[in-house]
Amino acid sequence: ARRARKASGLVRKALQKIRPSPENDNLYRPVRADDPEIQARAQSIHEHGLKEPIVITQDNWILSGHRRHCAAHIAGLSMVPVRVEPIRREDDVERFTLLLREYNRQREKSFDEKLREEIISAQPAAPKSRTSNNRCRTRYCESSMSSKSTFPSANDPCTTTS
């Protein structure tokens, strides 16, 4: 099974080593642990496991799977399947941002998110950082979980900032 995974490009990675990209929050709405969709996804992952791998860079930044990453934390997973793209975010943020956009083309998006994507197509380095106190980040998800079977309520605030 391990050889089959490596041949397909899949490996298992410690969830705590995988980093959500700040560019994702700049392009799309931030992932919130108290979002009912994230809670439902976490419950599904808890019951059935993570069925779709997270796509990361060689330096562990997420290209695709920010919502799965957050839900996996809430579900209490420590290891997840990942596919590693042959790029380092820290070497080429512009190319990283373009790949992030490509991986997220199929998502349902708001008008504002679509507009920011078009800006990226014209000027890859254009989006500037926004701040949010309600992002799902590793520290929040880990501190919210006391056991694998306990899910935070939808009213729990996401208080960790990055």
Side-chain angles (χ1 to χ4, degrees):
R2 184 170 282 183
R3 281 188 199 154
R5 281 190 182 154
K6 289 228 178 200
S8 68
L10 293 180
V11 295
R12 294 188 57 78
K13 178 79 92 175
L15 194 58
Q16 69 184 25
K17 294 188 182 263
I18 300 170
R19 301 183 280 182
S21 69
E23 294 82 4
N24 190 73
D25 285 352
N26 294 337
L27 279 171
Y28 309 107
R29 60 190 171 268
V31 177
R32 295 176 53 111
D34 60 351
D35 180 331
E37 288 181 21
I38 297 297
Q39 292 290 312
R41 185 170 291 192
Q43 184 65 42
S44 174
I45 289 171
H46 178 73
E47 292 173 10
H48 307 287
L50 185 62
K51 299 298 183 188
E52 184 67 27
I54 296 171
V55 180
I56 63 173
T57 62
Q58 292 171 327
D59 49 358
N60 297 323
W61 291 96
I62 298 174
L63 279 167
S64 177
H66 288 83
R67 298 168 62 78
R68 282 172 274 150
H69 176 264
C70 183
H73 271 290
I74 294 168
L77 298 185
S78 59
M79 300 288 287
V80 293
V82 299
R83 190 172 76 241
V84 181
E85 280 287 325
I87 180 178
R88 293 180 52 81
R89 176 188 172 271
E90 290 153 356
D91 292 344
D92 193 346
V93 175
E94 194 170 303
R95 181 168 171 241
F96 172 86
T97 304
L98 289 171
L99 277 173
L100 177 70
R101 178 185 187 265
E102 289 305 310
Y103 270 106
N104 288 283
R105 278 192 182 269
Q106 80 289 349
R107 286 180 48 185
E108 282 188 37
K109 300 170 194 112
S110 68
F111 175 78
D112 289 344
E113 290 170 331
K114 290 176 186 176
L115 182 61
R116 286 190 295 273
E117 279 189 343
E118 291 308 313
I119 291 169
I120 286 297
S121 293
Q123 296 177 294
K128 299 298 179 205
S129 180
R130 296 185 319 208
T131 59
S132 171
N133 289 335
N134 295 318
R135 293 183 197 146
C136 182
R137 292 289 185 236
T138 302
R139 287 178 291 173
Y140 167 76
C141 292
E142 288 173 350
S143 67
S144 295
M145 296 302 298
S146 58
S147 74
K148 287 185 178 183
S149 62
T150 305
F151 290 85
S153 74
N155 296 327
D156 285 350
C158 213
T159 57
T160 302
T161 59
S162 60

